Structure formats: structure tokens, C-alpha cells
Amino acid sequence: MAIVEVVKYNGKPDVLAWKYPNEELGTWTQLIVNESQEAVLVKGGKVFDVFDSGRHTLETANIPILNKIINLPFGGRSPFTAEVWYINKGYNLDIKWGTPSPVQIQDPKYGIFVPVRANGVFGIRISDAGKFLIKLVATMPAFDAMTVTKYFRGLYVTRIKDAISTYLIHEKIGILEINAYLDEISQYMKDKIQPVMDEYGIELVSFFVNEISVPEDDTAVKKLKDALSKKAEMDIIGYNYHQERSFDTLEGAAKNTGSGTAPLMGAGMGFGMGQGFGAVFGSMAQEIQLNHSGAAVKECPKCHARIPRTQRFCGGCGFDTEKKPDSSESASMACSSCGGEITGNTKFCPECGRKINHCPNCGNDMEDHAARCDSCGYVKP
């Protein structure tokens, strides 16, 4: 039986655990362990000894635990069988991960289900060689970074789904805004995964989520992006969806005055006015008709509807456009303390009871001890 003289590492640089191919060892065999490595002696599935970097001689004088493996004859050199595993204790910081298929997440802001993909990198270091070897490596001849990714794929896929859902709900943000929270999600996932890896003798040095994306060709994603784009356009212009639809309907009716639609629209607007809802539609319809007729128009000071210049009362709100304003009865005056409505004749605020300090110039309320009126700029002499 051949007895191995020198045992040394002969695996690839990115391998985390590598088994020496020959199990026939003997006393006085030289065991060479490189820097950032540990050599583990295994017999019958049990770890018997761990060797740090350096050159070690397998003999009972230096390693008494060998007596548990073999029975040495007196004065001789005895062979024995055992496994020698080399464990890479260095940092491996570039292990890539990703979700193999999209994960369905419900957007809490809009209520739709959106498929989500995520990817990133994480770094590990073997913290307990014996635990790592027995619990994870088992009988494989080698164990590399790709094997780690495969073993823990189910773990990080589950954790990424939980992390994204948690942040969407707690922060009340949409799925399209989630990339603003990558740092928080990365730390959350690291905290969740680390205890599991500790059980296998692995230290999770870092965990980063590089990107969380949604498929551009997904129907739900397309509809959501179109709706958000339309909303942004309306916000810029200054109107909402209901106003746009109403304006389109009324403009179409005004252009098609020869059809039977116009009388129905007029009747509908009249009914709406009687219910207090037709003021908006009435002013809109009136504005459309004026735009198409080319008549001279003016703007109502109260509701800003456009009406014929010769018309005294606004068709939208009923305001008398020819009535001269009475400064003593101005409705725009307000208490400088609580904002309650006052007039030029009000002495005490009807809302908070404070004494009103009327400006001598515009009549509006000035703050107590104020030297200047915020409404007209009047300065006390």
C-alpha cells in the first residue's frame, strides 16, 4: 500500500472547499497548508483535527488525536485512511445572485400585481470550517461559489419577495419607485439571511441589491406607465380626468350643433344647473360656444368663466359683473389670527373673538402691533 509523503492544495482559486484525492495517508506525511486556508482531517464523517497555515507532520507526537484513527505498531510507521479537506478562509465578495423568474408583487399604491426581477452580489467567508464541511459540503469533491448560490437560491428569492413587499407597504410607495430604497432593502435582506448562513459556518460579509426591475412588455406595467404619464401631463396643464372628459364631450356637442345631440346637451346642462352641479358645465359650454362664435367676451371676477361682454350676470355662478365692489363688505377679508371671514364693519372676529385691527387703507385685518399691512403694503406713520 502506497503511503502519501506530501499533501498540498491543488484546486482552483475560487473553490471554497477542496478534497485531496488520495485518502491513503501515513504517519510522518507532510501536510502543507497555504495562507488563508485551513486543512481539516476527516475520518468516518467526523472532524478529527483542523490545521492552520504552515507545514505539518502527521505523527502522534505532535497530533495525539491520530491515536483515535489508527493503532500504531511499536517503533514503526503505519498507514491509515482519512480525508483531507482544504477550506478557503479568504473573502469572496463577488458572488452574483438573481431571481430565476419574475416574482409577483402587489403594488399597494395602485393595487395591481406586477412581475418583479431582482439581482445583485453578495460576499461570504467561511467562519467555521468544521460546521461548513459537515453540514454543507458532505460528499462532494469540491464546493465553489456557484454551488453556494445554488444552495441558497430558495432562501434569497423568498427573502427578496418579503423585503420588497414590506417596503412597498410600510413606505406606501409604488413598485416603479422601489429603486430609491435599494440600500434599505439590501441591509434588510442581509439581516434576514445571515442567521441561516451561520448555521452552515458561513459569514455573510455583504449583500447588495443592484437592481429591481419590471418587464417593459408586461400588460399591467404598460397600463400603469401610460396612466402615470397621462396624470403627469394633466398636473402640468392644470386639469383632471373628469374635466378633460367633460370638456371633450361639450366641445364635440358645440361643434356638431346641427345634430340632435346639442338640444339634449342643453337640456342636460339645464337640469344640472337646477341641481347646483351645472355651474361648471354651464360655464364650460358657454366658453366653448364663445370660442367658436368669435364674439367679444369678458371674464367673471368670481369663477373666471368667459361670458359675452354685454352680459351682466355670469351664467356659471350668477355673479353681478357690473356691481361696484363695496370695500366695507369685501368677502376677501380674513382674520389675521385664525383666517375667519370678516368684513369692513367687523369689530371682533366671529371665529376666535379677537379684536380686528383694520388697515386704514384697504380695511383688511392687520396683525397685532404690525407696522405694515400684508394685503396692500400700507405702512403706519
Side-chain angles (χ1 to χ4, degrees):
M1 178 182 292
I3 300 176
V4 176
E5 297 292 340
V6 178
V7 175
K8 63 180 181 178
Y9 181 80
N10 196 27
K12 296 180 180 179
D14 60 342
V15 173
L16 300 176
W18 180 79
K19 178 183 175 182
Y20 187 75
N22 195 343
E23 298 182 10
E24 296 180 357
L25 307 175
T27 53
W28 305 344
T29 294
Q30 300 297 301
L31 178 64
I32 300 174
V33 184
N34 298 326
E35 291 289 341
S36 74
Q37 286 183 341
E38 283 184 350
V40 181
L41 196 64
V42 179
K43 175 71 173 178
K46 293 183 179 181
V47 175
F48 275 85
D49 216 335
V50 179
F51 304 90
D52 293 326
S53 59
R55 189 182 187 95
H56 307 274
T57 301
L58 301 182
E59 58 177 321
T60 56
N62 297 329
I63 312 173
I65 200 170
L66 286 178
N67 285 322
K68 297 181 180 180
I69 302 178
I70 57 176
N71 295 317
L72 296 176
F74 180 78
R77 176 180 177 183
S78 178
F80 63 95
T81 60
E83 299 176 4
V84 176
W85 282 90
Y86 282 91
I87 306 298
N88 186 352
K89 300 281 287 186
Y91 290 91
N92 197 326
L93 303 177
D94 192 30
I95 303 178
K96 295 178 174 57
W97 66 269
T99 52
S101 59
V103 180
Q104 291 293 329
I105 300 291
Q106 185 175 18
D107 190 310
K109 196 171 183 179
Y110 304 106
I112 63 173
F113 283 90
V114 180
V116 173
R117 288 184 181 273
N119 63 77
V121 295
F122 64 89
I124 63 172
R125 185 182 73 89
I126 309 304
S127 57
D128 190 324
K131 187 186 294 185
F132 172 74
L133 191 63
I134 298 301
K135 286 194 172 185
L136 200 59
V137 179
T139 59
M140 292 185 296
F143 195 96
D144 57 12
M146 291 298 295
T147 311
V148 172
T149 306
K150 182 183 69 174
Y151 264 69
F152 291 100
R153 179 174 298 164
L155 174 65
Y156 64 69
V157 168
T158 302
R159 291 293 188 268
I160 190 67
K161 181 178 180 180
D162 293 342
I164 295 175
S165 299
T166 300
Y167 269 88
L168 288 178
I169 294 172
H170 287 180
E171 302 295 333
K172 294 181 174 59
I173 59 175
I175 190 66
L176 300 181
E177 307 165 34
I178 192 64
N179 279 302
Y181 297 82
L182 292 183
D183 289 341
E184 291 87 344
I185 292 177
S186 297
Q187 185 60 46
Y188 174 85
M189 290 190 61
K190 183 178 183 295
D191 295 340
K192 292 294 182 181
I193 296 176
Q194 177 62 69
V196 180
M197 287 195 165
D198 283 341
E199 298 178 7
Y200 297 92
I202 301 175
E203 177 188 354
L204 186 61
V205 180
S206 60
F207 192 97
F208 297 105
V209 181
N210 291 342
E211 181 187 20
I212 298 176
S213 60
V214 293
E216 296 292 336
D217 56 348
D218 183 77
T219 305
V221 176
K222 285 183 178 180
K223 289 182 178 179
L224 178 58
K225 288 188 174 182
D226 290 343
L228 292 176
S229 177
K230 187 66 175 178
K231 181 179 182 299
E233 179 184 352
M234 291 179 178
D235 290 341
I236 294 172
I237 297 175
Y239 63 96
N240 57 36
Y241 176 78
H242 297 290
Q243 290 174 331
E244 182 192 30
R245 296 296 298 163
S246 302
F247 190 86
D248 291 343
T249 303
L250 292 172
E251 185 173 21
K255 290 181 179 179
N256 193 16
T257 56
S259 68
T261 307
L264 292 176
M265 290 297 298
M269 286 186 290
F271 178 76
M273 291 177 187
Q275 299 297 323
F277 185 66
V280 177
F281 284 103
S283 61
M284 290 175 63
Q286 191 175 49
E287 182 176 348
I288 294 170
Q289 292 173 354
L290 289 172
N291 288 339
H292 285 83
S293 64
V297 296
K298 61 182 179 180
E299 184 177 289
C300 172
K302 186 175 182 180
C303 69
H304 305 291
R306 301 180 67 189
I307 61 176
R309 188 178 295 278
T310 58
Q311 182 175 316
R312 177 173 179 176
F313 295 94
C314 175
C317 64
F319 180 77
D320 186 355
T321 60
E322 298 181 7
K323 180 181 178 181
K324 296 182 179 180
D326 185 357
S327 61
S328 64
E329 298 296 334
S330 175
S332 61
M333 296 183 183
C335 172
S336 61
S337 177
C338 68
E341 184 177 329
I342 63 172
T343 66
N345 297 327
T346 303
K347 294 183 179 181
F348 295 91
C349 176
E351 298 292 335
C352 65
R354 174 183 162 276
K355 185 177 180 180
I356 301 301
N357 181 24
H358 289 287
C359 171
N361 183 46
C362 68
N364 211 340
D365 180 37
M366 298 175 58
E367 295 183 359
D368 295 337
H369 310 296
R372 181 180 180 276
C373 177
D374 293 335
S375 299
C376 66
Y378 170 79
V379 180
K380 286 184 178 181

